[in-house]
Amino acid sequence: PPIVDLLKGNDFVEDVIGFGDGADRNRVVVGTAARKLKAGRFDSFFCLKSNPRLVTAAWLAGIPRRFGYMQALDPRSMFLTTRVVVPKITPHPLHMSKADLLLDHLGVPYDHATARLHPKADALHQARQLAGDGKLIAIGVNASVPQRQWGERFIPLVLRLHELTGARFVLFGGGDVRDVAAKIIAGSKLPASAFIDLTSIGASLAPVNAQTWSSNF
């Protein structure tokens, strides 16, 4: 739901379909995903992240045009109508740099430096109310997968940035990382007023994207 709220406020997104139907809510179940895609009656499918399960689901759903990237000897590339062969290792971040190769092949223009999600009006209003005055630095703690979670290692970063700038910190993410945000706040020993903890106040992810905030970070 937080991702739906974030993306559906943009004029180029008509709808959002979730595919995390596995036991850990983070794994694509091929049969379920295929049914969802078939119900959408899509004519094109672009896979900009390496997810062979979702590629297989798009094939089963009968989507006529399926674009993606895979390594040279991956037999699952047969499920794509157009594919780009990519090396196993590309510049960080891996998914983005591999998706770039696909878009380059297709002649689709993109610009990482200027790409932005335009905020919804209500999100912009909420952001202004929460932000107040002064400098803000945003920290995303929304990596719920343990091996990708910085956790308490954010604490020395927060302390150093606070020393250098005197800024307050916006901790954003879903409710699943509320405990991570709490450890950062407690471990820093900074006053509670130094933080705007979106994980604990139930704020939508959408205000994080608001232009008023991004101009302050």
Side-chain angles (χ1 to χ4, degrees):
I3 299 299
V4 172
D5 185 50
L6 175 64
L7 295 179
K8 286 191 69 173
N10 295 277
D11 55 5
F12 57 89
V13 177
E14 181 176 307
D15 202 357
V16 178
I17 302 172
F19 293 106
D21 297 301
D24 60 357
R25 305 296 293 172
N26 197 39
R27 187 174 180 84
V28 173
V29 177
V30 174
T32 304
R35 287 192 292 273
K36 291 181 179 181
L37 289 171
K38 188 172 183 178
R41 302 176 66 183
F42 301 110
D43 57 35
S44 300
F45 169 86
F46 290 81
C47 195
L48 300 180
K49 183 177 180 180
S50 179
N51 196 319
R53 287 174 169 264
L54 202 51
V55 168
T56 304
W59 173 72
L60 289 173
I63 298 176
R65 301 190 302 167
R66 303 177 301 278
F67 305 89
Y69 61 82
M70 288 192 180
Q71 294 180 48
L73 300 179
D74 195 326
R76 294 168 295 192
S77 62
M78 64 177 288
F79 297 133
L80 294 167
T81 56
T82 300
R83 69 152 179 163
V84 169
V85 175
V86 297
K88 183 176 182 179
I89 302 296
T90 59
H92 180 80
L94 289 177
H95 291 307
M96 183 181 292
S97 54
K98 291 181 179 180
D100 288 353
L101 297 176
L102 173 63
L103 297 177
D104 289 340
H105 176 77
L106 297 173
V108 177
Y110 57 91
D111 183 355
H112 299 309
T114 62
R116 296 291 185 272
L117 294 176
H118 297 290
K120 298 186 295 185
D122 59 338
L124 187 59
H125 176 71
Q126 185 181 2
R128 285 170 174 161
Q129 288 186 315
L130 288 171
D133 298 322
K135 296 178 181 179
L136 296 172
I137 297 176
I139 295 180
V141 295
N142 55 326
S144 56
V145 180
Q147 58 268 33
R148 293 168 51 198
Q149 179 54 256
W150 262 33
E152 294 179 68
R153 285 179 290 178
F154 274 120
I155 294 172
L157 175 64
V158 165
L159 291 174
R160 181 60 175 155
L161 289 175
H162 184 73
E163 178 185 354
L164 291 173
T165 68
R168 293 183 297 150
F169 298 90
V170 180
L171 304 181
F172 65 90
D176 57 336
V177 291
R178 184 178 302 152
D179 61 329
V180 179
K183 289 178 181 178
I184 294 172
I185 294 171
S188 72
K189 294 183 172 55
L190 294 174
S193 58
F195 297 93
I196 300 175
D197 181 12
L198 298 184
T199 72
S200 66
I201 63 177
S204 162
L205 290 179
V208 178
N209 180 49
Q211 291 172 339
T212 298
W213 287 35
S214 62
S215 65
N216 286 334
F217 291 158

